[in-house]
Amino acid sequence: MKTNAAVLLILLFAPFVLAAQSGGDLELFREAEDHYRTGNTLLALERFEDFARRYPLSDRMPDAQYRIGVCQYRLGRYAEAVETFRRVESRYATTRYLDLTYFWAGMAHYHLGRWGDAVAAF
């Protein structure tokens, strides 16, 4: 009987929890985007990474991962950026920025002196 009551409570409150999470993910994503657009790259990266940790199942995750890679590139973290762009290509191909992922990966490879990989990415 206790198990049934617990299941019932979970089913009753699950929509509220999910709704609260979706509002939170949008707010954090927008905050990260604002920092990204105003050129505060380090703070944008921190917010996008926080977003990725807190909302791994969000519909915004593919775009957040792409933005993480661009932030890493802009901060000169080229090897990290390459790995992030690989992850975007393999796991988050639904991002609207997928085509740009190859450009940024190519640029990161270029800065790392990986000429062949840069050409292949472009």
Side-chain angles (χ1 to χ4, degrees), residues 26-45 47-48 67 71 74:
L26 178 59
E27 183 177 320
L28 184 55
F29 187 84
R30 284 185 179 163
E31 180 184 346
E33 280 283 299
D34 288 344
H35 291 300
Y36 180 87
R37 288 196 173 105
T38 59
N40 194 342
T41 306
L42 185 57
L43 196 50
L45 177 60
R47 294 299 182 266
F48 281 123
R67 294 287 199 218
C71 288
R74 288 179 177 169

Side-chain angles (χ1 to χ4, degrees), residues 9-60:
L9 282 174
I10 290 171
L11 291 175
L12 287 173
F13 288 106
F16 298 111
V17 171
L18 292 174
Q21 285 182 346
S22 78
D25 77 329
L26 178 59
E27 183 177 320
L28 184 55
F29 187 84
R30 284 185 179 163
E31 180 184 346
E33 280 283 299
D34 288 344
H35 291 300
Y36 180 87
R37 288 196 173 105
T38 59
N40 194 342
T41 306
L42 185 57
L43 196 50
L45 177 60
E46 290 172 2
R47 294 299 182 266
F48 281 123
E49 287 175 337
D50 187 31
F51 175 89
R53 279 189 300 277
R54 292 173 61 185
Y55 305 104
L57 301 177
S58 171
D59 292 343
R60 295 172 185 85

Side-chain angles (χ1 to χ4, degrees), residues 32-102:
E33 280 283 299
D34 288 344
H35 291 300
Y36 180 87
R37 288 196 173 105
T38 59
N40 194 342
T41 306
L42 185 57
L43 196 50
L45 177 60
E46 290 172 2
R47 294 299 182 266
F48 281 123
E49 287 175 337
D50 187 31
F51 175 89
R53 279 189 300 277
R54 292 173 61 185
Y55 305 104
L57 301 177
S58 171
D59 292 343
R60 295 172 185 85
M61 182 60 87
D63 292 350
Q65 286 294 321
Y66 166 78
R67 294 287 199 218
I68 288 170
V70 174
C71 288
Q72 290 166 334
Y73 173 85
R74 288 179 177 169
L75 292 169
R77 300 177 186 174
Y78 304 120
E80 289 176 50
V82 166
E83 290 305 313
T84 299
F85 292 130
R86 281 187 190 141
R87 186 171 48 251
V88 169
E89 183 182 4
S90 65
R91 290 189 205 163
Y92 302 106
T94 59
T95 181
R96 58 187 163 166
Y97 303 111
L98 185 61
D99 290 339
L100 292 172
T101 299
Y102 304 115

